[in-house]
Amino acid sequence: MIEIDPRGDLVIKVVQFDDTVVVPRGEEQPTLCEEEFQISKDVARQHSKVLGRLINRHYEQMQENKRFEPFTLKGDTITSMEILLRSIHGVLGDMDRNVFLEQMWHLTAAADKYAIDIDESLTDWFEDWYLAQQDVNAAIPGQAQKLLFPCWRFNHAEGFQEASHTVIYGSQGPVMERNPTKQYEQRLPQRVIQQLNAAKGRLRTILHAKIWELIDEILNSSCSLKEKTMFGYIKALTATRAFPLDPIWPKWEVTRVLAHLRSFSYESPKCTDQYCRCHRRNFDGAIIKACNIVAGYCDGLCLDCMNKSMPKTADYDTDYWLHNDLDEDDWDRECRVSHDEPTWYFSFMGRREDRDNFIAARREKRRAERRRDEE
């Protein structure tokens, strides 16, 4: 028995099912393990109306049957229930941080099931858990996709920014979250996934534009060797195996694309025209610069910017416009993490037309200010 409250007047028996076993619909899954917790009835009732009703019904049934029966909760995991029960009793500090990531999903599911708020004690404990498990999670492939939802649910801004940055730059194909449990109702809002994919798509657009700049310059030059220069440039790009972008973008991570492009090497042929820029163009440096721009473009998503723009009332975006006086270097005002404009842009969870209208109005305001300064 685990003593959550040594003076507690109720023992809860938690039965954890083995969800790896497939059973016919309507049948109960086999038991994997059981554990008993000594808690306080009053504390449970105070923090959870659902638990309170279950406890009251349990005692009523015992009176009707005139025999003792243990108060049993089925379908939860032992670890997640220990964390949850410790949190409502104010003894979460005693909980070990060496807990698997999957339990964070079970923990949010249990909190929803029993209508227990994820309060400051739980978010603080999750932050400690995240720091304790940071090296472990970083070493496991695909772990960032599993971290997105818990970091979002526990409002851990740093963890969510890191996880979202990792999936944007480190996912093959479309960005998706991964649920390591069968708690399928636990998931991110679809809008978040859309914005993660939009951010990744933007990286491709920028990279393609930077590569095309050199092509456009060659096409519009008067160089007598521009056909040869163009052929050599494209051949050098294909030699990196990261060009053209279209066939490899759905298959490769952004980091892999950039790593291959960094191996680009090309020296243009020398022409006799002293005014021609082709042979003076640093092709290698231009590609490296393009890779650096893409690599540093997005910092991930910001939970604070997301929360400001998440639809909450009839006026969807009221809270979001706390950001409406942002200056050039002020995109992360009042945010817990540092970031630039792209993160602010893709963290927007409200109506796109309002965001676009806001940006247009902001730019017009700046132009008007510059005109006044010039006068």
Side-chain angles (χ1 to χ4, degrees):
M1 180 186 294
I2 298 176
E3 293 183 346
I4 304 294
D5 182 354
R7 299 181 179 178
D9 51 359
L10 176 65
V11 173
I12 292 182
K13 179 181 179 181
V14 175
V15 179
Q16 180 174 334
F17 293 145
D18 184 356
D19 59 9
T20 63
V21 178
V22 178
V23 297
R25 179 174 295 184
E27 291 188 15
E28 193 173 271
Q29 289 178 303
T31 298
L32 179 64
C33 56
E34 300 178 352
E35 185 59 84
E36 292 183 337
F37 298 92
Q38 184 177 355
I39 69 166
S40 164
K41 286 199 302 285
D42 290 339
V43 171
R45 287 168 173 154
Q46 178 184 352
H47 287 85
S48 170
K49 292 182 179 179
V50 175
L51 278 178
R53 287 195 295 268
L54 292 174
I55 291 170
N56 293 340
R57 189 183 307 162
H58 171 71
Y59 279 97
E60 291 172 0
Q61 290 176 345
M62 282 201 302
Q63 290 178 353
E64 292 176 2
N65 299 332
K66 297 182 179 179
R67 69 172 184 272
F68 172 78
E69 295 176 355
F71 178 58
T72 304
L73 300 176
K74 295 183 178 182
D76 305 296
T77 66
I78 306 300
T79 302
S80 65
M81 286 305 296
E82 181 178 359
I83 297 171
L84 196 61
L85 292 172
R86 285 187 180 280
S87 72
I88 65 176
H89 283 79
V91 291
L92 194 50
D94 300 332
M95 185 68 197
D96 187 6
R97 270 66 173 174
N98 189 23
V99 175
F100 289 122
L101 170 59
E102 288 79 0
Q103 295 302 325
M104 300 302 107
W105 290 73
H106 289 296
L107 176 56
T108 59
D112 290 343
K113 180 179 178 180
Y114 300 112
I116 296 176
D117 293 333
I118 295 180
D119 58 11
E120 187 175 349
S121 67
L122 275 173
T123 56
D124 288 347
W125 185 88
F126 179 84
E127 182 176 353
D128 293 339
W129 171 87
Y130 181 86
L131 292 174
Q133 298 295 313
Q134 200 163 20
D135 292 339
V136 175
N137 289 327
I140 302 176
Q143 200 77 334
Q145 292 170 298
K146 301 176 185 177
L147 276 167
L148 284 171
F149 173 77
C151 288
W152 173 76
R153 188 67 192 276
F154 287 101
N155 196 26
H156 186 38
E158 181 181 348
F160 189 81
Q161 184 187 43
E162 291 177 353
S164 57
H165 180 273
T166 299
V167 298
I168 290 170
Y169 283 89
S171 296
Q172 295 179 355
V175 176
M176 295 181 289
E177 61 178 326
R178 288 186 182 178
N179 186 340
T181 73
K182 292 188 177 180
Q183 305 287 351
Y184 299 126
E185 74 284 355
Q186 303 294 301
R187 58 184 177 84
L188 288 169
Q190 188 59 36
R191 177 69 169 152
V192 178
I193 301 299
Q194 290 174 355
Q195 291 302 90
L196 289 169
N197 279 288
K200 183 176 181 180
R202 178 60 179 161
L203 300 181
R204 178 186 177 281
T205 301
I206 293 172
L207 186 57
H208 189 276
K210 293 300 179 182
I211 292 173
W212 178 260
E213 282 180 4
L214 294 172
I215 295 176
D216 188 59
E217 183 175 325
I218 297 169
L219 286 173
N220 291 295
S221 73
S222 59
C223 178
S224 60
L225 299 176
K226 64 182 180 180
E227 290 85 358
K228 188 175 181 180
T229 301
M230 178 77 75
F231 175 81
Y233 173 56
I234 295 178
K235 183 178 179 181
L237 281 171
T238 57
T240 67
R241 296 173 50 218
F243 188 86
L245 295 177
D246 287 349
I248 57 98
W249 196 262
K251 304 174 184 177
W252 287 14
E253 305 89 343
V254 176
T255 51
R256 185 182 178 189
V257 173
L258 298 180
H260 277 256
L261 282 175
R262 290 181 190 280
S263 69
F264 174 87
S265 179
Y266 176 59
E267 185 175 349
S268 63
K270 302 295 187 294
C271 69
T272 57
D273 186 352
Q274 61 177 329
Y275 299 106
C276 178
R277 296 181 55 198
C278 288
H279 65 277
R280 296 196 299 269
R281 181 66 165 166
N282 183 0
F283 287 87
D284 295 5
I287 295 299
I288 293 297
K289 182 180 179 181
C291 291
N292 291 340
I293 290 173
V294 171
Y297 178 75
C298 184
D299 302 310
L301 299 193
C302 172
L303 277 181
D304 295 318
C305 289
M306 289 167 60
N307 290 338
K308 286 185 174 72
S309 63
M310 193 71 74
K312 304 179 187 70
T313 64
D315 184 6
Y316 278 52
D317 307 313
T318 299
D319 293 334
Y320 187 73
W321 306 117
L322 294 174
H323 271 21
N324 65 354
D325 292 322
L326 294 177
D327 297 323
E328 194 69 40
D329 299 318
D330 202 19
W331 297 103
D332 53 2
R333 182 198 297 176
E334 298 181 1
C335 297
R336 289 168 289 170
V337 293
S338 299
H339 61 79
D340 292 322
E341 181 179 2
T343 289
W344 171 87
Y345 183 89
F346 290 109
S347 297
F348 180 82
M349 296 291 125
R351 294 174 296 198
R352 295 181 182 179
E353 61 271 23
D354 286 346
R355 177 194 62 196
D356 296 340
N357 290 339
F358 163 67
I359 293 174
R362 185 170 176 272
R363 289 172 178 166
E364 179 57 34
K365 179 181 177 182
R366 287 182 176 177
R367 284 194 290 266
E369 290 174 348
R370 282 196 294 268
R371 286 195 294 268
R372 285 197 299 270
D373 293 340
E374 291 172 357
E375 293 172 356

